[in-house]
Amino acid sequence: MMEIAYVCEWENRPKSNHCPSIPLVCSWSCRNLIAFTTDLKNEEEDKGIDNAFITNITRPVDLSHMIHIIDTDHPWDVYSINSGHNEVISCLEWDQSGSRLLSADGDGQIKCWGMSEHLVNSWECTQSSSVDGDPIIALSWLHNGVKLALHSGSTNFGEKFSRVKFSPSLTLFGGKPMEGWLAVTVSGLVTVSLLKPNGTLLTASESLCRLRGRVALADIAFTGGGNIVVAATDGSSSSPVQFYKVCVSVVNEKCRIDTELLPSLFMRCTTDPVRRDKYPAVTHLKFLTRENSEQVLLCASSQMGSIVECWSLRKEGLPVNNIFQHRSPVVGEKQPMILKWRILSATNDLDRVSAVALPKLPISISNTDLKVASDTKFFPGLGLALAFHDGSIQILHRLSLHTMGVFYGSGSSQRVGEEPAIKRQRAGGPMQHFKALQFSWTSLALVGVDNHGKLHMLRVSPSMGQMLDMNTLLRHLLFLLEYCMVTGYDWWDVLLHAQPGMVLSTRIVAVKASLCKLSSTTAARACDFHAKLLLIAISSTLKSLLRPHVLNTPDKSPGDRLSEIYIDKVMINLKTEEFVLDGPPLQSLQQLIQWVGDFVLYLLANLPNQGSNVRPGFGFLRDGASLGMLREMLVMIRIWGLLKPGCLPIYTATSDNQDSMFLLFRLLTKLWLCSRDETHLQDPDEILIDECCLLPSQLLVPTMDWLPVNDGVITKVQSKHILRLQFGKPFSLPGLNPNAQGEMFRTPTSQKVDHLRCLHLGMSPTEDSKACTRCGCVTMLRSPNKTNAMRQWEQRWIKNCLCGGLWRRIPSTCT
């Protein structure tokens, strides 16, 4: 049901024998970035801690004031930010895009962090606000008004994801959501900071109620009407849990906050004579989802154990006094209704809870969807996780609180049939347990930080460990992959459950490439998908350069008319003046043009080996759309070569009078005609195969470095062995060449390649580079080009890689 995928820890860190009092904080973004803090202290006398992972700071440093950010596929590559917070960091919160991070501390300081140059391992503080001396206990970005509901039982793609009517917390002119954040302080103050379009902050603070008091725990949720609901408690289980409605508006260029008291509740354990004094403190208070302010989870604890309750806000009829019962009802009069909290479910006595994680997947909880989920055993989004002081984790149903699965950590010794941990004799010193816990955005993974500073990544089965047939399991994973396609979220956590033997079909080439990399038997297909991504990008870039010679050209653009060419004499069928471009742009794009020419030559030279589907390029030989795209580009390149011969691809030919471009276009056209009609595919004739067999004797066939080296853990966690990793130290499996997958179809060479610019960087590149965290694609960080055409190409990959992955800076020696 749950198993460790990997464990990452600080190198040479001594094990502590005391239970730290500083709370840890962890937050998981939709782009599979994890931000967390630790309670380690790097003091001068502590000689055992390796300080290599901390950059640009000097000793002594309190590491509880630092923020560590990792990509889930490269957990050892940690980027530690000296946050500048003067007190312990109490809150971390990612925005809806997963590219900005809020941090708040015990001194009332709030900072907004953003990626520098869109690099995942380079961060800078862009905005800050403060409530001096008032510790922040709850923090959230304002809602942008986007909410989806997932229906796992639907077979129609359009019915699987429904857009729920939801208003942003605050809107600008025209209905655009206004960005900003909201925080709650320990003194009962709510503070709002709004990001104005000009980049400045608009801040305001207001008390939650007239009579301010201490707030030990708080959480923030949003309503469909654009309001904000804050839940707060003073930490005592005998005190009421208060709820407040917060409305934010902008009046005369000033931020205004209005608050209103909502119905409150008392935990049921305080009204139970048996448990009245058993659990004196409320240790966890959370709304079940950030878009549902009508369901809340409460946990009360003592030194020996905990109890968890789930409450729901419902409308109920207001009882009428007996005096008015016999009164004749007025026509149209309705019984008055009130909102009242009712308990949904509660657990029995549990071991002491150390952390709580709630699901982020917006699965529908209607009766129909819950029944379908139960029948098909599809449980992502329906379970919440509780971590205990004995090192174990339980996943409970978010509504009924019934146990769905249990994980026993290294510090836990309890097994099925044993007495509860609360009754067992405890060993000396604290057990290893999780102090921070977070679900991924598809609820298929859990990340936890324990009291020794280790980060643990756990896989969570979509069926909670229940046996499923392969087809049902594939449908579950495909549904979550489709969810990632619709939302744009990263799908790394879904790949944790994709086994090498699975054949998954999706409509996104980047997802296909990621899936095919999981097994060496499908690595050739990954090469094809990566090449197809690059081919589509180059084609759209080259076509975008074309402009009609006359502005009133009637029906089609020059790029559209390329697809109508069916004969070799292309120059007769085209108005070549429409394809004429200036020399500088053509020359600057030569490396992309060279890649197209080399790719065509490679495909045709490998056509005689079409029976071997383990070779790269096999997927293109029956792909009429891709072959047609290559054919169109050869036409453009041929015409451009008449104006600027230096932009043509360079071939090494055995004959001086051979027209290489004409030869390749003729053979490519024959191959394209065989697969042009997808409903009537034809095999290449013997003449075409014979001509392709002669190509290696006529032209030097290049080697194609299609597949960047992917050194992430997703290619290593398919086995059941736990990976033990160290922050700041790259990892490779014993006896396995980390570049084996990438070098499978390459000639032995130490040349480094810029995969996006299609340039060879040499054996020891001197330029700083960046690499994709998903596919391993490498490209130079700084542009060597000065022409507009190539800069436009490079601008497409500033924020994300070709496959949609994030960038991270790499030193020149590792390129």
Side-chain angles (χ1 to χ4, degrees):
M1 196 287 298
M2 280 187 287
E3 59 181 8
I4 290 284
Y6 60 74
V7 179
C8 208
E9 61 181 323
W10 307 111
E11 186 177 8
N12 299 328
R13 180 184 181 267
K15 299 283 192 300
S16 61
N17 294 321
H18 65 284
C19 191
S21 59
I22 299 174
L24 303 186
V25 189
C26 180
S27 185
W28 194 328
S29 81
C30 62
R31 302 173 82 177
N32 280 319
L33 297 177
I34 295 175
F36 64 100
T37 63
T38 64
D39 60 343
L40 313 181
K41 288 193 176 181
N42 180 20
E43 300 174 354
E44 187 65 34
E45 64 269 19
D46 187 357
K47 306 298 183 182
I49 299 181
D50 184 2
N51 196 37
F53 63 91
I54 307 173
T55 58
N56 301 325
I57 59 176
T58 57
R59 300 167 73 110
V61 172
D62 188 350
L63 300 190
S64 61
H65 299 166
M66 300 196 67
I67 303 172
H68 312 291
I69 298 178
I70 65 167
D71 178 83
T72 52
D73 208 33
H74 296 79
W76 56 83
D77 189 12
V78 61
Y79 183 75
S80 300
I81 304 173
N82 187 2
S83 66
H85 286 290
N86 297 323
E87 294 292 336
V88 175
I89 297 172
S90 56
C91 300
L92 291 173
E93 189 74 19
W94 291 97
D95 72 343
Q96 287 85 356
S97 67
S99 58
R100 289 180 299 178
L101 177 70
L102 289 177
S103 62
D105 64 14
D107 193 35
Q109 303 293 320
I110 303 174
K111 296 190 177 186
C112 178
W113 303 89
M115 289 185 187
S116 176
E117 297 181 294
H118 307 287
L119 297 172
V120 73
N121 57 350
S122 182
W123 296 80
E124 60 183 0
C125 181
T126 58
Q127 301 283 353
S128 64
S129 63
S130 66
V131 186
D132 293 337
D134 206 351
I136 305 295
I137 58 171
L139 181 66
S140 176
W141 290 87
L142 297 182
H143 204 283
N144 61 359
V146 178
K147 182 184 178 183
L148 285 179
L150 277 66
H151 307 277
S152 59
S154 301
T155 56
N156 188 317
F157 186 84
E159 297 175 353
K160 292 180 180 179
F161 315 100
S162 62
R163 179 74 177 266
V164 180
K165 187 177 180 180
F166 213 86
S167 298
S169 302
L170 190 62
T171 56
L172 295 167
F173 179 78
K176 181 181 179 181
M178 192 170 190
E179 295 183 321
W181 57 82
L182 176 139
V184 180
T185 71
V186 74
S187 68
L189 200 67
V190 57
T191 177
V192 175
S193 298
L194 304 178
L195 285 169
K196 298 176 68 174
N198 60 6
T200 60
L201 274 183
L202 194 63
T203 61
S205 299
E206 185 64 54
S207 175
L208 283 172
C209 60
R210 291 183 179 180
L211 186 61
R212 289 172 63 181
R214 178 179 179 271
V215 177
L217 297 172
D219 198 20
I220 301 168
F222 302 91
T223 68
N227 296 321
I228 305 166
V229 176
V230 174
T233 175
D234 63 4
S236 172
S237 60
S238 60
S239 300
V241 179
Q242 302 281 2
F243 295 85
Y244 307 90
K245 182 172 73 172
V246 179
C247 301
V248 181
S249 58
V250 176
V251 180
N252 297 327
E253 295 298 319
K254 293 183 179 180
C255 180
R256 177 178 174 180
I257 303 174
D258 297 308
T259 62
E260 178 184 338
L261 185 63
L262 297 176
S264 59
L265 66 87
F266 283 90
M267 291 193 67
R268 194 179 70 172
C269 63
T270 62
T271 62
D272 185 352
V274 178
R275 297 189 175 98
R276 178 172 299 171
D277 301 320
K278 192 173 184 178
Y279 304 110
V282 179
T283 54
H284 297 88
L285 164 63
K286 291 180 179 291
F287 289 105
L288 285 183
T289 62
R290 63 190 298 268
E291 287 99 359
N292 187 354
S293 61
E294 299 179 354
Q295 291 181 343
V296 67
L297 186 80
L298 297 167
C299 175
S301 304
S302 66
Q303 289 296 325
M304 298 301 294
S306 299
I307 190 170
V308 176
E309 298 176 1
C310 182
W311 290 74
S312 177
L313 185 64
R314 299 176 180 176
K315 283 186 177 181
E316 295 185 358
L318 185 65
V320 181
N321 192 283
N322 293 333
I323 298 176
F324 304 99
Q325 291 290 344
H326 305 290
R327 178 176 67 88
S328 300
V330 179
V331 178
E333 183 181 22
K334 296 182 179 179
Q335 182 182 15
M337 307 292 288
I338 60 170
L339 292 173
K340 193 170 184 179
W341 287 99
R342 291 290 186 184
I343 190 166
L344 279 179
S345 52
T347 64
N348 296 321
D349 294 337
L350 303 170
D351 196 1
R352 187 179 172 193
V353 174
S354 61
V356 177
L358 295 175
K360 300 182 178 71
L361 192 71
I363 197 76
S364 172
I365 55 173
S366 66
N367 292 334
T368 302
D369 289 312
L370 287 176
K371 185 179 185 305
V372 171
S374 177
D375 294 341
T376 60
K377 298 179 175 60
F378 181 80
F379 301 122
L382 295 179
L384 58 92
L386 301 179
F388 299 93
H389 274 258
D390 68 346
S392 65
I393 298 176
Q394 288 188 25
I395 293 187
L396 310 180
H397 194 283
R398 55 185 279 191
L399 299 180
S400 66
L401 296 183
H402 291 159
T403 302
M404 302 171 70
V406 181
F407 167 79
Y408 297 102
S410 57
S412 174
S413 60
Q414 184 182 1
R415 293 297 183 268
V416 177
E418 293 187 3
E419 61 179 345
I422 193 172
K423 298 180 181 179
R424 297 197 308 269
Q425 182 69 31
R426 297 182 182 273
M431 294 183 180
Q432 178 177 311
H433 62 273
F434 294 102
K435 298 198 70 179
L437 204 62
Q438 277 273 311
F439 267 111
S440 69
W441 283 69
T442 62
S443 299
L444 292 187
L446 265 174
V447 65
V449 183
D450 66 21
N451 56 327
H452 296 310
K454 293 182 182 179
L455 184 142
H456 302 248
M457 180 65 66
L458 287 79
R459 291 183 269 212
V460 182
S461 168
S463 63
M464 294 299 169
Q466 300 190 44
M467 296 301 296
L468 294 178
D469 61 275
M470 184 60 70
N471 289 335
T472 304
L473 179 59
L474 287 176
R475 283 198 299 270
H476 290 173
L477 296 183
L478 283 172
F479 175 64
L480 293 174
L481 285 173
E482 290 171 340
Y483 169 68
C484 293
M485 290 164 48
V486 171
T487 58
Y489 296 162
D490 192 83
W491 53 82
W492 180 90
D493 42 343
V494 182
L495 297 184
L496 282 175
H497 301 270
Q499 299 300 320
M502 294 180 178
V503 181
L504 301 178
S505 174
T506 70
R507 280 167 279 183
I508 296 296
V509 179
V511 179
K512 293 181 179 180
S514 299
L515 293 170
C516 289
K517 285 183 181 180
L518 299 180
S519 172
S520 59
T521 59
T522 55
R525 294 292 292 158
C527 293
D528 291 353
F529 290 131
H530 182 82
K532 191 168 185 177
L533 285 171
L534 189 56
L535 174 62
I536 294 172
I538 293 177
S539 176
S540 61
T541 298
L542 296 183
K543 283 186 177 182
S544 67
L545 298 175
L546 303 178
R547 297 293 184 271
H549 183 65
V550 182
L551 292 180
N552 60 357
T553 303
D555 48 1
K556 299 178 180 178
S557 68
D560 295 332
R561 281 195 289 277
L562 281 172
S563 60
E564 299 177 352
I565 308 170
Y566 296 98
I567 60 175
D568 296 342
K569 298 179 181 180
V570 297
M571 312 298 274
I572 300 176
N573 296 279
L574 289 175
K575 297 178 181 179
T576 54
E577 65 272 10
E578 295 184 350
F579 296 85
V580 173
L581 299 177
D582 295 333
L586 294 177
Q587 193 61 44
S588 65
L589 295 172
Q590 200 279 332
Q591 64 262 34
L592 302 183
I593 294 174
Q594 182 69 47
W595 186 90
V596 173
D598 289 345
F599 188 48
V600 172
L601 175 56
Y602 178 90
L603 287 181
L604 293 173
N606 282 275
L607 179 62
N609 301 322
Q610 60 177 319
S612 175
N613 60 0
V614 298
R615 299 291 303 174
F618 175 81
F620 283 89
L621 300 180
R622 292 299 183 93
D623 187 351
S626 297
L627 294 176
M629 197 181 305
L630 287 169
R631 191 167 168 272
E632 294 167 6
M633 284 189 283
L634 285 185
V635 174
M636 289 189 292
I637 295 169
R638 176 76 173 192
I639 298 174
W640 291 341
L642 299 177
L643 176 67
K644 188 71 175 179
C647 77
L648 289 173
I650 300 173
Y651 298 102
T652 303
T654 56
S655 175
D656 295 336
N657 58 358
Q658 178 175 275
D659 190 342
S660 302
M661 288 283 293
F662 177 79
L663 173 64
L664 294 178
F665 181 80
R666 182 173 60 83
L667 297 178
L668 182 63
T669 300
K670 288 185 176 181
L671 180 60
W672 170 69
L673 290 173
C674 297
S675 56
R676 181 179 60 183
D677 187 356
E678 295 182 357
T679 59
H680 297 86
L681 296 177
Q682 302 176 15
D683 293 329
D685 55 30
E686 295 290 339
I687 299 176
L688 175 58
I689 294 178
D690 291 342
E691 288 186 281
C692 291
C693 285
L694 296 175
L695 273 180
S697 63
Q698 298 171 308
L699 299 171
L700 180 63
V701 180
T703 58
M704 301 295 292
D705 291 330
W706 295 343
L707 187 64
V709 176
N710 184 1
D711 60 348
V713 298
I714 197 63
T715 60
K716 303 181 179 74
V717 297
Q718 303 306 316
S719 65
K720 300 301 181 181
H721 301 289
I722 299 175
L723 298 183
R724 301 288 179 181
L725 311 173
Q726 290 180 344
F727 290 117
K729 187 176 181 180
F731 175 81
S732 61
L733 289 177
L736 178 65
N737 177 12
N739 297 335
Q741 190 184 53
E743 302 295 336
M744 188 179 300
F745 305 108
R746 301 175 181 172
T747 57
T749 177
S750 56
Q751 288 278 341
K752 310 301 181 183
V753 179
D754 186 319
H755 297 102
L756 289 184
R757 294 183 177 90
C758 303
L759 293 174
H760 289 274
L761 303 178
M763 297 176 60
S764 300
T766 58
E767 295 289 334
D768 289 336
S769 301
K770 57 185 179 181
C772 175
T773 60
R774 180 186 293 165
C775 70
C777 179
V778 175
T779 185
M780 286 182 287
L781 185 60
R782 310 297 177 193
S783 172
N785 300 289
K786 296 183 179 180
T787 60
N788 291 333
M790 198 60 194
R791 283 188 175 275
Q792 290 175 3
W793 167 261
E794 294 167 346
Q795 283 295 319
R796 301 182 63 175
W797 324 117
I798 288 293
K799 293 184 178 181
N800 298 96
C801 174
L802 188 71
C803 69
L806 295 169
W807 294 115
R808 62 185 176 95
R809 185 194 297 265
I810 56 175
S812 57
T813 55
C814 299
T815 309

